[in-house]
Amino acid sequence: MREKLGQPAPPPEHDPVQGLAVVVGSRPVSAYTELTLEAPDIADVAQPGQFVAFAVGGPTSAMLLRRSIAIAGVGDGRFSVVVSARAAGSTWLAGLRPGDEVDVVGPLGRPFPLPAPGTPALLVGGGYGAAALVGLGGLLRSRGHEVAAVVGAGDEARLCSVDELTEVAAPFVVTTDDGSVGRQGRVTGPVAELVSGAGVVYACGPMPMLEAVAGLATDRGVPSWVAVEESMACGIGVCMTCVLPVVGADGRSRFARSCVEGPVFAGDRVRFRDVGTLPPDVVGADAMGVAHTPAIEGETP
Amino acid sequence: MQASIGGRPVVSPVLTASGCSSFGQELDPFFDLASIGAVVTKSVQLRPRSGRATPRMAETPSGMINSIGLQGPGIEGLLADELPWLAARGAQAFVSIAGSRTEDFAELAERLRGAPGVLGLEVNISCPNVESRGEVFACNPDASAEVLAAVRAAADPAHPVYAKLTPDVTDIVSVARACADAGANGLSMINTLLGLVIDTDTMRPVLGGVTGGLSGPAVRPVALRCVWQVHQALPNVPILGMGGIRTGLDALQFVLAGAGAVSVGTAVFNDPSAPARIHAELAEALGERGFGRLADAIGYAHRAPEESSGRHGR
């Protein structure tokens, strides 16, 4: 089992930078807002799978934590992100207008490793997670790979990056839970049909989707890369809030930071079932007195 | 700006704060780590620790609450990887140590004797995320004194030893005095305040650890009050002030209250270059107020109005 595990994604080639980026575009994309920002020192070196971390609310904002969002596209010294306005911070971001400036750190995180030449790829996106796959899809196509894609969401309004992925992927399947567009149901149905034809699977979306997709790939012996969406306070690796249990190169599990050890992990290395718990075999769990952790006391009966 | 930690000179009175900058490497792209007073490391313990289950943090008004649980590589990892990297980078390490028994602290201090690039030790007797939350050493003057005496005896004589205090006590001065009497060369204050956030959708506590430590600008007035009270009572004991410092003027408040140096913590999550920025802002703020030396500003706010007339008067 151990030798079959995927390798850790290599670290990025460039250090992150911090600075003010100018908003040059804002447009609604179904239920989301796509922002385009001028920041050549980020856009010119970013690789698919990486993300940026925004300060929100201005220099004296009472919201201190950065909002980390996947890079959806780059070009001409600009990068774009898809913002889902949910709480105060993301709503502030989504409300930025051309000409506004925002403090941003990036590019951050490990990019999607590229497959050997000729390897057919399957991209799987859930909700606005699909945006993180757009750059990858284009890069794979430009390198001559066959690219298939499945994109799903709860309903039509929460689908994302459909137009962009239509241009690079064939077959391209859309699913919605309510059947409002595309095939009704989850992405797992089409993924199960397409995975055998793929040499590698890339996925970004909610954790249960990543678990299901990685499981389907691993069961068929297909390597997979997943970009996880864990809550991050800093995005640069110092706060230790975005950890999840990941099997290391030595076969032992550790709490890995999804910002700097990820967000891209080999799909068979993430212990999805144990996310949000303290598994007793994680390195250093013994020092926590794990059998008596209050996290277990706090569980709903 | 000339400054010192426990009598040892440092190039800047601005340091990172323990737990908020890991071991410094991740901040290297954002500013020169050798240009700040020291990197105060995440608290290290004898063994590697996984830390707590997630979720580990929640944003709060002008702050955050965390229950990381001292995730870290243990003293072996610190000595093998982190300290050599910092030393090679020319940065000073102020090593935060934590334990669940007095002997743990003493052993850590012993292991750090002669380690390259170590400026001194910050003794974390006040982490709210250790297993025995009801038994934080810094809630009890006697227990605090016992730990600090043991560390002072075991540590490299060249290493200043600072006690990191919690604000969650009735009388912080009594704990501070006990630490100083036991041999602490200085005091770091404050650690986070114990807090709680409840998710109104799930109707359960947000954090995996249920309670956690509150930090950020929201705690700054509490931290300043602690520094003020302790400097008033123990004017000759050096203080490393921290708690919600986000700007040079925030840092200046701590200096005026009695801190000889400051640590920048949660602000780093918002602005990874904050320690270098705050250094520059503090230097400018001191100059604008006519202070030729940092030392002249330490504790200035305690002076009676007639003493503080003239250039510095307000």
Side-chain angles (χ1 to χ4, degrees), chain B residues 33-51:
Chain B
L33 293 170
S35 73
I36 60 169
V39 171
V40 182
T41 69
K42 202 165 161 49
S43 292
V44 64
Q45 297 201 283
L46 288 173
R47 290 186 290 163
R49 274 174 72 96
S50 63

PDB file of all heavy atoms in Angstrom, chain B residues 33-51:
ATOM      1  N   LEU B  33      14.844  38.791   8.304  1.00  0.00           N
ATOM      2  CA  LEU B  33      14.656  38.331   9.681  1.00  0.00           C
ATOM      3  C   LEU B  33      15.769  38.824  10.615  1.00  0.00           C
ATOM      4  O   LEU B  33      15.584  38.890  11.824  1.00  0.00           O
ATOM      5  CB  LEU B  33      14.603  36.800   9.722  1.00  0.00           C
ATOM      6  CG  LEU B  33      13.392  36.159   9.039  1.00  0.00           C
ATOM      7  CD1 LEU B  33      13.587  34.648   8.941  1.00  0.00           C
ATOM      8  CD2 LEU B  33      12.100  36.479   9.782  1.00  0.00           C
ATOM      9  N   ALA B  34      16.920  39.160  10.024  1.00  0.00           N
ATOM     10  CA  ALA B  34      18.030  39.665  10.843  1.00  0.00           C
ATOM     11  C   ALA B  34      17.837  41.131  11.226  1.00  0.00           C
ATOM     12  O   ALA B  34      18.578  41.658  12.053  1.00  0.00           O
ATOM     13  CB  ALA B  34      19.346  39.495  10.091  1.00  0.00           C
ATOM     14  N   SER B  35      16.830  41.772  10.637  1.00  0.00           N
ATOM     15  CA  SER B  35      16.622  43.196  10.913  1.00  0.00           C
ATOM     16  C   SER B  35      15.701  43.437  12.099  1.00  0.00           C
ATOM     17  O   SER B  35      15.523  44.570  12.532  1.00  0.00           O
ATOM     18  CB  SER B  35      16.032  43.890   9.679  1.00  0.00           C
ATOM     19  OG  SER B  35      14.667  43.519   9.503  1.00  0.00           O
ATOM     20  N   ILE B  36      15.078  42.373  12.608  1.00  0.00           N
ATOM     21  CA  ILE B  36      14.225  42.537  13.799  1.00  0.00           C
ATOM     22  C   ILE B  36      14.989  42.026  15.018  1.00  0.00           C
ATOM     23  O   ILE B  36      16.050  41.394  14.889  1.00  0.00           O
ATOM     24  CB  ILE B  36      12.876  41.804  13.655  1.00  0.00           C
ATOM     25  CG1 ILE B  36      13.058  40.289  13.457  1.00  0.00           C
ATOM     26  CG2 ILE B  36      12.081  42.406  12.501  1.00  0.00           C
ATOM     27  CD1 ILE B  36      11.769  39.501  13.577  1.00  0.00           C
ATOM     28  N   GLY B  37      14.451  42.320  16.192  1.00  0.00           N
ATOM     29  CA  GLY B  37      15.159  41.972  17.425  1.00  0.00           C
ATOM     30  C   GLY B  37      15.414  40.488  17.546  1.00  0.00           C
ATOM     31  O   GLY B  37      16.517  40.053  17.896  1.00  0.00           O
ATOM     32  N   ALA B  38      14.405  39.710  17.260  1.00  0.00           N
ATOM     33  CA  ALA B  38      14.538  38.256  17.307  1.00  0.00           C
ATOM     34  C   ALA B  38      13.261  37.629  16.771  1.00  0.00           C
ATOM     35  O   ALA B  38      12.207  38.268  16.762  1.00  0.00           O
ATOM     36  CB  ALA B  38      14.780  37.759  18.738  1.00  0.00           C
ATOM     37  N   VAL B  39      13.420  36.394  16.328  1.00  0.00           N
ATOM     38  CA  VAL B  39      12.251  35.576  16.040  1.00  0.00           C
ATOM     39  C   VAL B  39      11.917  34.828  17.328  1.00  0.00           C
ATOM     40  O   VAL B  39      12.732  34.041  17.814  1.00  0.00           O
ATOM     41  CB  VAL B  39      12.534  34.564  14.901  1.00  0.00           C
ATOM     42  CG1 VAL B  39      11.378  33.582  14.757  1.00  0.00           C
ATOM     43  CG2 VAL B  39      12.794  35.304  13.595  1.00  0.00           C
ATOM     44  N   VAL B  40      10.762  35.132  17.903  1.00  0.00           N
ATOM     45  CA  VAL B  40      10.324  34.360  19.064  1.00  0.00           C
ATOM     46  C   VAL B  40       9.628  33.120  18.510  1.00  0.00           C
ATOM     47  O   VAL B  40       8.635  33.226  17.784  1.00  0.00           O
ATOM     48  CB  VAL B  40       9.374  35.160  19.964  1.00  0.00           C
ATOM     49  CG1 VAL B  40       8.988  34.339  21.194  1.00  0.00           C
ATOM     50  CG2 VAL B  40      10.045  36.466  20.397  1.00  0.00           C
ATOM     51  N   THR B  41      10.186  31.978  18.798  1.00  0.00           N
ATOM     52  CA  THR B  41       9.697  30.745  18.161  1.00  0.00           C
ATOM     53  C   THR B  41       8.361  30.320  18.743  1.00  0.00           C
ATOM     54  O   THR B  41       7.970  30.731  19.835  1.00  0.00           O
ATOM     55  CB  THR B  41      10.673  29.582  18.375  1.00  0.00           C
ATOM     56  OG1 THR B  41      10.647  29.212  19.761  1.00  0.00           O
ATOM     57  CG2 THR B  41      12.085  29.955  17.953  1.00  0.00           C
ATOM     58  N   LYS B  42       7.700  29.483  17.989  1.00  0.00           N
ATOM     59  CA  LYS B  42       6.547  28.786  18.522  1.00  0.00           C
ATOM     60  C   LYS B  42       7.038  27.968  19.711  1.00  0.00           C
ATOM     61  O   LYS B  42       8.165  27.474  19.706  1.00  0.00           O
ATOM     62  CB  LYS B  42       6.003  27.859  17.419  1.00  0.00           C
ATOM     63  CG  LYS B  42       4.573  27.476  17.601  1.00  0.00           C
ATOM     64  CD  LYS B  42       4.012  26.888  16.328  1.00  0.00           C
ATOM     65  CE  LYS B  42       2.754  26.095  16.670  1.00  0.00           C
ATOM     66  NZ  LYS B  42       1.798  26.844  17.519  1.00  0.00           N
ATOM     67  N   SER B  43       6.218  27.826  20.738  1.00  0.00           N
ATOM     68  CA  SER B  43       6.670  27.100  21.928  1.00  0.00           C
ATOM     69  C   SER B  43       7.062  25.671  21.571  1.00  0.00           C
ATOM     70  O   SER B  43       6.323  24.963  20.900  1.00  0.00           O
ATOM     71  CB  SER B  43       5.557  27.056  22.982  1.00  0.00           C
ATOM     72  OG  SER B  43       5.314  28.343  23.497  1.00  0.00           O
ATOM     73  N   VAL B  44       8.244  25.286  22.046  1.00  0.00           N
ATOM     74  CA  VAL B  44       8.725  23.938  21.771  1.00  0.00           C
ATOM     75  C   VAL B  44       8.607  23.111  23.055  1.00  0.00           C
ATOM     76  O   VAL B  44       8.753  23.624  24.166  1.00  0.00           O
ATOM     77  CB  VAL B  44      10.193  23.978  21.267  1.00  0.00           C
ATOM     78  CG1 VAL B  44      11.127  24.516  22.331  1.00  0.00           C
ATOM     79  CG2 VAL B  44      10.629  22.611  20.770  1.00  0.00           C
ATOM     80  N   GLN B  45       8.290  21.847  22.870  1.00  0.00           N
ATOM     81  CA  GLN B  45       8.211  20.942  24.010  1.00  0.00           C
ATOM     82  C   GLN B  45       9.204  19.814  23.823  1.00  0.00           C
ATOM     83  O   GLN B  45       9.897  19.730  22.811  1.00  0.00           O
ATOM     84  CB  GLN B  45       6.790  20.417  24.170  1.00  0.00           C
ATOM     85  CG  GLN B  45       5.809  21.555  24.474  1.00  0.00           C
ATOM     86  CD  GLN B  45       4.547  21.058  25.127  1.00  0.00           C
ATOM     87  OE1 GLN B  45       3.669  20.501  24.485  1.00  0.00           O
ATOM     88  NE2 GLN B  45       4.462  21.249  26.425  1.00  0.00           N
ATOM     89  N   LEU B  46       9.278  18.920  24.776  1.00  0.00           N
ATOM     90  CA  LEU B  46      10.274  17.851  24.680  1.00  0.00           C
ATOM     91  C   LEU B  46       9.974  16.924  23.505  1.00  0.00           C
ATOM     92  O   LEU B  46      10.872  16.527  22.775  1.00  0.00           O
ATOM     93  CB  LEU B  46      10.319  17.045  25.988  1.00  0.00           C
ATOM     94  CG  LEU B  46      10.955  17.784  27.161  1.00  0.00           C
ATOM     95  CD1 LEU B  46      10.799  16.985  28.444  1.00  0.00           C
ATOM     96  CD2 LEU B  46      12.443  18.055  26.889  1.00  0.00           C
ATOM     97  N   ARG B  47       8.715  16.580  23.336  1.00  0.00           N
ATOM     98  CA  ARG B  47       8.337  15.647  22.265  1.00  0.00           C
ATOM     99  C   ARG B  47       7.593  16.382  21.156  1.00  0.00           C
ATOM    100  O   ARG B  47       6.994  17.428  21.392  1.00  0.00           O
ATOM    101  CB  ARG B  47       7.414  14.564  22.838  1.00  0.00           C
ATOM    102  CG  ARG B  47       8.113  13.605  23.778  1.00  0.00           C
ATOM    103  CD  ARG B  47       7.168  12.494  24.166  1.00  0.00           C
ATOM    104  NE  ARG B  47       6.090  12.954  25.028  1.00  0.00           N
ATOM    105  CZ  ARG B  47       4.960  12.291  25.258  1.00  0.00           C
ATOM    106  NH1 ARG B  47       4.748  11.130  24.652  1.00  0.00           N
ATOM    107  NH2 ARG B  47       4.039  12.765  26.071  1.00  0.00           N
ATOM    108  N   PRO B  48       7.596  15.801  19.945  1.00  0.00           N
ATOM    109  CA  PRO B  48       6.741  16.369  18.896  1.00  0.00           C
ATOM    110  C   PRO B  48       5.280  16.334  19.335  1.00  0.00           C
ATOM    111  O   PRO B  48       4.856  15.411  20.036  1.00  0.00           O
ATOM    112  CB  PRO B  48       6.957  15.425  17.698  1.00  0.00           C
ATOM    113  CG  PRO B  48       8.249  14.727  17.972  1.00  0.00           C
ATOM    114  CD  PRO B  48       8.353  14.629  19.465  1.00  0.00           C
ATOM    115  N   ARG B  49       4.537  17.356  18.935  1.00  0.00           N
ATOM    116  CA  ARG B  49       3.109  17.425  19.284  1.00  0.00           C
ATOM    117  C   ARG B  49       2.294  17.652  18.028  1.00  0.00           C
ATOM    118  O   ARG B  49       2.631  18.477  17.181  1.00  0.00           O
ATOM    119  CB  ARG B  49       2.857  18.619  20.225  1.00  0.00           C
ATOM    120  CG  ARG B  49       3.080  18.339  21.678  1.00  0.00           C
ATOM    121  CD  ARG B  49       2.946  19.639  22.454  1.00  0.00           C
ATOM    122  NE  ARG B  49       1.565  20.096  22.527  1.00  0.00           N
ATOM    123  CZ  ARG B  49       0.760  19.847  23.565  1.00  0.00           C
ATOM    124  NH1 ARG B  49       1.201  19.142  24.587  1.00  0.00           N
ATOM    125  NH2 ARG B  49      -0.467  20.305  23.581  1.00  0.00           N
ATOM    126  N   SER B  50       1.192  16.943  17.947  1.00  0.00           N
ATOM    127  CA  SER B  50       0.317  17.090  16.780  1.00  0.00           C
ATOM    128  C   SER B  50      -0.519  18.364  16.859  1.00  0.00           C
ATOM    129  O   SER B  50      -0.958  18.884  15.841  1.00  0.00           O
ATOM    130  CB  SER B  50      -0.628  15.892  16.687  1.00  0.00           C
ATOM    131  OG  SER B  50      -1.480  15.855  17.814  1.00  0.00           O
ATOM    132  N   GLY B  51      -0.759  18.850  18.060  1.00  0.00           N
ATOM    133  CA  GLY B  51      -1.750  19.919  18.220  1.00  0.00           C
ATOM    134  C   GLY B  51      -3.148  19.330  18.197  1.00  0.00           C
ATOM    135  O   GLY B  51      -3.335  18.122  18.073  1.00  0.00           O
TER     136      GLY B  51
END
